[in-house]
Amino acid sequence: MKSQTKVVVIGGGIAGCSTLYHLTQEGWTDVVLVERNELTSGTTWHSAAQVTNFGGNQTMVGLKTHSINLYKELRDDADYPVQYNHGDGGIRLANTEAQMDGYRHFASMARGMGVEFEILDAEECARRHPLISTDNLLGGLWDGNDGDIDPASLCQALARRARKAGAEVYRNTPVTGLTQHKDDSWTVHTEHGDIVCEIVVNACGYRVNEVGAMMGVEHPVTSMEHQYFVTEDIPAIVESDKRMPLLRCPISDYYSRQEKNGLLIGFYEQGCKTWGMDGIDPHFVNALCPDDLDRITDVLEGAFERMPALMEVGIKNVVNGPITYTIDGAPLVGPIPGKRNAFCCIGLRAGLGEGGGHGWLLAQQIVHGEAVYDTWCIDPRRFGEHTNVELTALKAIEDYQNEFRFHFPNEHRPAGRNAKTTPLTPVMAAEGAEFTIVNGWERVDYIKPSADFHHTHTFKFDESFDAVGEEVKAVQTDVGICEVNGFNRFELTGADATNFLDRMSCSTVPRKPGRMGLIYLLNHHGNVKAEATIANIPASDRGPDRVWYGSAAASELHDMDWLQQHIRDDEDVQIKSLTNDQTILIIAGPKARDVLSSVSRGDWSNEAFKFLAVREAYIGIAPATVMRVSFSGETAYELHIPNASLYGAYLSLREAGKAHGMKIFGAKAVDSMRMEMGYLHWKADILTEFDPFETNLNRFIKMDKSDFVGKAALEKKGDPKHLLVSMALDSTDAAAHGGSSVMIDGKVVGTVTSGDWGYRTGLNIAYAFVETAYAAEGTAVEVDVLGKMVPAKVIPAGPYQAQSSR
């Protein structure tokens, strides 16, 4: 066994084997995989192994397409062919128009990745799958690439190819410990000796947290028991001249695929069960949980109604085994938060179908720093530190119970709520707030017009439309107040803090005390990595001169890692997180200055406190850091207040606001107004797939700076191939959702990143990256919105900007 190597991958299931293979494909061959038993002896061996192209966003579709293409190549390898039933086709059923709208959106989104789905009516579903009934069925989504693969031969084939490229695989080699050294290298301790490596990868399936504990990390991953059975031969299958399509049924919570001349039927019962939360038997290898068919009786009845043939055949065998879930159901593939040279590929509940793509994207991140796609949807840092095992289990149960029911854009599911709150959360609830979730924080979405008000889950504009419009109107004509909790806030101190930020950013970093500005950070490929507001807080009795770095709530762990990893040994820079210590209250509107002046001493006139100014003050008796900045395009102030004083500050502002018609506004109103102003949303419009010129951030790019991270790569880039544009859609019933295809003459020329209704402009606005040939203002295009080709045209960014003097 080697004593030194470049990368050690821990785990010999699909995640580990795929990562190892793809590392060799990226040119790293001095790599090792260690497995505590035999390859595929964890969840992989009993997987139902369905391989679909369906995904909830373009990154997921892209990695699944890679998996399919790789698996077809392995199937056709004459030396070691893998059993892969590709192209059987698959149907996702629906019995509501809202579900069908979702499928229409996913079809539009997939088209931008070169994947074609079909929308079927109930009769066509039954024609393609003759075993199903059309009772209580509206239609479905057809994936022509759907199929299934043999788990064991797949993993062996990947390991075989990796070995041929120079990688080594050590079976029956349990890892007993991990030690990280001062130079960030690792020693992987095993029962057969130590291996020193630069990088370690946790790909340990349901034993993920056993290895996580060795490096002081707890991952938001837990396991669920999952049962399926295989039927005896079904005459209709025996007599058919083609294989039966796969089926996924959100109506009755089951799936099926052909297994020889019968069916494999899997169940997602409501009375589901977590597994292994109190530890896992070290001898649980190639093992299963006890059968528990009583638990799936209710789901089985629904399956009988949909597929009556099931009532006529017996059961050959039952499988009940653990599968892993994360806190939001998507895998964790990428850097481990707070660790250097440590990565993971874990939480793969659909590991066999997606694993080829997961290993592909992870290998790219390890070798090149980024992947070909923006991988935020699977990034392990997309959650904050609140994601403990208890919360993960609650969300895993909820996700399991809704396995085939996708999230609607306006849906916020109830499990694990109130994970992160402020003193104002119950106050806002009493005001009638409907809450959304932002990195665990309960944030006001909008204020309900009545106590019994509820909105419908839909991809179209819902019943909250008018209520949000009233909130926007209050901000435009009088004054509104909004709580923005969880906003990421770092305090940078040290003699080199500003120079450090200047080196990290392609933008001009504000240096004058009491001033602030927006900057962008690039990765080493010259693409956009982060967006931050930099505020220089003058010295006072609250502290010395210091710099605040503010960014999106979801970016907390991501940005901390990026900054800390770039501090040089000779730089005097310290970073401290204040994210959980303070909360922002925003007051916005033409009367905002009047409200502020009535609760805070000092001169708040436009001359004394200009746009992008920063000042420490008091709101009533509450200390606050006040910033003159606006996301809405109206006169506005951000009041950064310690949580201990938040309630007192809020009461003072509400009392002062009575005379000016103050109303609470929420995240929906903010999103509408930011679209009208041309402001971008991190990880919706700001993606690592595009550079700042493509993202239309030219005014923030200072190429005349001596140097900054990503400058060399940015200088080598040619003319932009895509540009981020604003569009106005000729539609009043639905916004364009992220992923919707922008088309001309039936050809996809771009992809929507954000969409919303602009109440002040009366426009249905969308942002999209489009090919540069179609980016000119006035260009007529069509946007596929829920299956309808909606006429649209490119408009100037920020159609409300003309009113920015407000």
Side-chain angles (χ1 to χ4, degrees), residues 318-635:
V318 180
V319 170
N320 184 19
I323 56 175
T324 56
Y325 276 73
T326 67
I327 200 164
D328 67 351
L332 304 178
V333 180
I336 295 175
K339 296 292 178 181
R340 296 194 185 190
N341 292 348
F343 295 81
C344 61
C345 189
I346 54 179
L348 278 58
R349 73 174 183 191
L352 266 294
E354 304 172 354
H358 291 146
W360 175 56
L361 294 182
L362 180 59
Q364 291 177 44
Q365 293 179 68
I366 292 171
V367 175
H368 306 296
E370 299 284 359
V372 64
Y373 305 133
D374 189 297
T375 57
W376 182 244
C377 65
I378 56 175
D379 195 302
R381 299 165 298 186
R382 68 186 185 272
F383 311 117
E385 295 176 346
H386 65 286
T387 52
N388 53 50
V389 171
E390 284 71 19
L391 178 59
T392 301
L394 289 175
K395 297 304 290 184
I397 291 169
E398 181 180 64
D399 210 50
Y400 186 96
Q401 293 169 333
N402 291 276
E403 177 69 25
F404 299 128
R405 285 185 281 276
F406 51 77
H407 278 82
F408 286 92
N410 58 350
E411 179 184 11
H412 311 294
R413 290 177 178 170
R417 297 297 294 266
N418 295 310
K420 302 193 80 172
T421 61
T422 74
L424 293 187
T425 304
V427 176
M428 293 299 183
E431 293 274 11
E434 178 74 19
F435 292 94
T436 183
I437 302 294
V438 181
N439 198 21
W441 292 91
E442 296 285 337
R443 187 177 292 181
V444 176
D445 209 22
Y446 65 91
I447 300 297
K448 295 181 284 189
S450 63
D452 59 351
F453 180 87
H454 296 284
H455 65 254
T456 303
H457 295 157
T458 176
F459 277 80
K460 298 178 179 177
F461 294 128
D462 64 36
E463 296 86 346
S464 69
F465 185 88
D466 291 339
V468 176
E470 289 299 311
E471 293 175 17
V472 173
K473 182 179 179 181
V475 173
Q476 184 182 24
T477 60
D478 295 309
V479 61
I481 185 169
C482 175
E483 181 192 33
V484 180
N485 49 23
F487 183 76
N488 185 47
R489 184 186 296 96
F490 299 149
E491 184 172 275
L492 279 73
T493 55
D496 299 316
T498 300
N499 289 337
F500 166 70
L501 288 172
D502 191 59
R503 178 170 62 81
M504 293 296 295
S505 169
C506 67
S507 311
T508 298
V509 175
R511 292 178 177 270
K512 187 176 180 181
R515 297 297 295 172
M516 62 186 297
L518 190 64
I519 69 168
Y520 288 88
L521 290 72
L522 311 184
N523 60 27
H524 297 283
H525 302 281
N527 290 352
V528 185
K529 185 73 172 179
E531 176 192 64
T533 300
I534 303 301
N536 294 316
I537 313 298
S540 69
D541 57 358
R542 301 182 197 172
D545 288 337
R546 55 210 183 277
V547 178
W548 277 8
Y549 173 110
S551 57
S555 71
E556 180 182 3
L557 299 182
H558 172 279
D559 285 13
M560 181 63 84
D561 275 358
W562 185 249
L563 294 174
Q564 288 187 329
Q565 288 170 9
H566 284 84
I567 298 174
R568 295 171 179 164
D569 292 339
D570 62 350
E571 286 181 313
D572 178 19
V573 180
Q574 297 81 43
I575 305 176
K576 175 185 177 182
S577 177
L578 303 177
T579 300
N580 294 321
D581 301 335
Q582 301 204 16
T583 294
I584 300 172
L585 292 178
I586 294 175
I587 53 172
K591 299 177 183 177
R593 183 179 290 111
D594 296 332
V595 173
L596 182 60
S597 298
S598 66
V599 298
S600 183
R601 288 184 293 112
D603 185 354
W604 295 104
S605 66
N606 190 56
E607 294 72 22
F609 196 64
K610 298 181 181 295
F611 188 61
L612 299 182
V614 183
R615 179 191 298 177
E616 290 186 328
Y618 287 88
I619 304 300
I621 61 172
T625 303
V626 183
M627 301 182 186
R628 174 85 186 278
V629 65
S630 175
F631 212 47
S632 62
E634 310 293 345
T635 300

Side-chain angles (χ1 to χ4, degrees), residues 119-136:
I119 304 299
L120 310 180
D121 60 22
E123 287 69 28
E124 183 62 17
C125 289
R127 191 188 71 79
R128 298 192 187 190
H129 198 308
L131 295 181
I132 69 170
S133 162
T134 59
D135 291 347
N136 189 31

